[in-house]
Amino acid sequence: MSSVPFHYVDLRTFCYATEDDKRVEDALRTFLPAEYPIERAESEGHYGDRIVVLSARVENADDVRHVLSQVATLSDIDAVRSELGDRVDDNCSFFLTFDKQAAFGGEVRRGDGITLRAKVEAYPAKREKAVANARAVLDEL
């Protein structure tokens, strides 16, 4: 994969009051290069409970390749390829969610808990072009 047709990749997860911050951060790090900075933002739930939002934006091409190499380990990557039309929006963003508990164990599996949003390069910025570019990358994985 010589060129990467993504402007950036955002990864985000929430750490609820009943979860251990370090474990949730470790789950997010499953997708990131070593020692990659993670931003923390504290918020409050409806009943006053603490929620920590952990996020990272990956913009460097080598780091984006690292994230994509983790996505490539999905056992159902073919299903992701077939769903691309539903996973790319009109703003040329590609969305995928991962199982937070599995990620804590070092496994990459689709599910809920960790959200990946990748801004796909598309000139002109049309959804169809973005789908084609995302498909080209996933076909190389």
Side-chain angles (χ1 to χ4, degrees), residues 3-95:
S3 68
V4 181
F6 292 110
H7 293 289
Y8 57 83
V9 175
D10 285 331
L11 290 159
R12 183 180 70 186
T13 190
F14 298 100
C15 179
Y16 299 99
T18 57
E19 295 176 311
D20 179 21
D21 294 17
K22 177 70 174 122
R23 293 177 137 218
V24 174
E25 183 176 325
D26 288 346
L28 189 60
R29 287 198 180 282
T30 297
F31 299 92
L32 297 169
E35 304 301 319
Y36 202 84
I38 293 178
E39 293 182 25
R40 301 171 61 88
E42 294 211 14
S43 188
E44 189 175 290
H46 182 71
Y47 294 104
D49 50 326
R50 179 187 64 99
I51 299 173
V52 178
V53 181
L54 301 172
S55 62
R57 175 167 281 192
V58 179
E59 296 176 308
N60 177 291
D62 289 336
D63 294 339
V64 170
R65 281 187 200 94
H66 178 83
V67 173
L68 293 176
S69 71
Q70 294 303 101
V71 172
T73 65
L74 279 169
S75 61
D76 61 346
I77 191 72
D78 291 331
V80 173
R81 287 182 187 107
S82 68
E83 299 167 357
L84 269 176
D86 296 328
R87 297 195 166 279
V88 176
D89 68 8
D90 290 337
N91 292 321
C92 301
S93 292
F94 167 67
F95 293 90

